[in-house]
Amino acid sequence: MKLSAVILPLLLLTGTANAADNTCLSNKYHGYIDASLSWYESLIELTVEKNPSLDDVSQWFLKGRQHHFELSRKAVDYYLEHDPSLVSTDKAVESWLNLEQQDIKRLATRSDELGEYAQRTFSDRQSKPHEKNYELRSAFADLLSHPQAIDVPLQAYNNAMEKISAIKCN
């Protein structure tokens, strides 16, 4: 009886510590997702500003990026709670999760929210590319080859990533 009186509080403290740690890790990963989506939104804005005819393909591309990153957000949250071994928190935050096509296909069979996000991403990857996809990629390459053109959003992304990298979770 005395032993269980000592063990139970320790287990509760461990569970509370793990929940707090998972919240910190989740928030850190969410920061990475938000910074990445902001970067892509800025890249799209600059591209369309320079070439308005790429607006439609840019929105198509951005939607795919959003699906990809939102799946990653949901998957990290899920795995932190249910199988932390699948989240490599010992690496840089952008490398915490490695979902291969087969993983996404498997997740897409689930009937929960994670499965819905996986279905969207899997569908994006299986669909025919937009007819102006090559033009968009070329416009990105052109834009990225002019560092002064992307300086403001790149600095914003780098600053956000520095802050995210400085977060230490127990």
Side-chain angles (χ1 to χ4, degrees):
M1 182 72 152
K2 290 181 183 180
L3 182 59
S4 63
V6 172
I7 292 174
L8 183 59
L10 288 175
L11 289 174
L12 290 174
L13 282 173
T14 302
T16 303
N18 285 343
D21 191 38
N22 282 350
T23 298
C24 177
L25 292 168
S26 177
N27 289 340
K28 184 172 181 169
Y29 196 75
H30 287 214
Y32 156 67
I33 296 294
D34 294 341
S36 297
L37 286 172
S38 180
W39 161 250
Y40 279 109
E41 288 166 358
S42 296
L43 191 61
I44 293 292
E45 185 178 311
L46 292 169
T47 301
V48 171
E49 189 177 288
K50 190 172 180 179
N51 192 342
S53 70
L54 296 177
D55 184 47
D56 187 50
V57 65
S58 293
Q59 294 312 308
W60 167 83
F61 174 82
L62 183 58
K63 188 172 147 185
R65 295 283 72 208
Q66 290 167 334
H67 290 165
H68 164 80
F69 280 112
E70 292 303 333
L71 168 60
S72 295
R73 184 191 312 260
K74 292 292 180 193
V76 163
D77 287 349
Y78 178 84
Y79 290 140
L80 283 172
E81 185 176 337
H82 296 97
D83 191 354
S85 67
L86 296 176
V87 183
S88 302
T89 57
D90 57 326
K91 296 180 180 177
V93 69
E94 57 271 19
S95 300
W96 281 10
L97 183 66
N98 184 21
L99 289 178
E100 301 290 335
Q101 185 69 356
Q102 64 203 25
D103 301 320
I104 296 169
K105 185 176 182 179
R106 182 181 42 77
L107 288 172
T109 65
R110 297 170 58 111
S111 59
D112 60 2
E113 188 177 31
L114 180 57
E116 290 174 27
Y117 280 91
Q119 288 169 12
R120 284 184 205 126
T121 300
F122 186 74
S123 177
D124 288 345
R125 292 182 177 188
Q126 297 300 306
S127 67
K128 181 180 173 190
H130 193 283
E131 61 187 28
K132 290 188 173 183
N133 186 43
Y134 181 77
E135 285 179 61
L136 179 66
R137 302 297 174 138
S138 295
F140 285 163
D142 181 55
L143 187 62
L144 294 171
S145 68
H146 295 91
Q148 72 281 4
I150 59 168
D151 186 57
V152 172
L154 183 58
Q155 288 303 320
Y157 176 79
N158 288 338
N159 290 339
M161 290 304 292
E162 282 179 26
K163 289 178 185 174
I164 292 162
S165 295
I167 296 171
K168 302 294 180 213
C169 300
N170 295 328

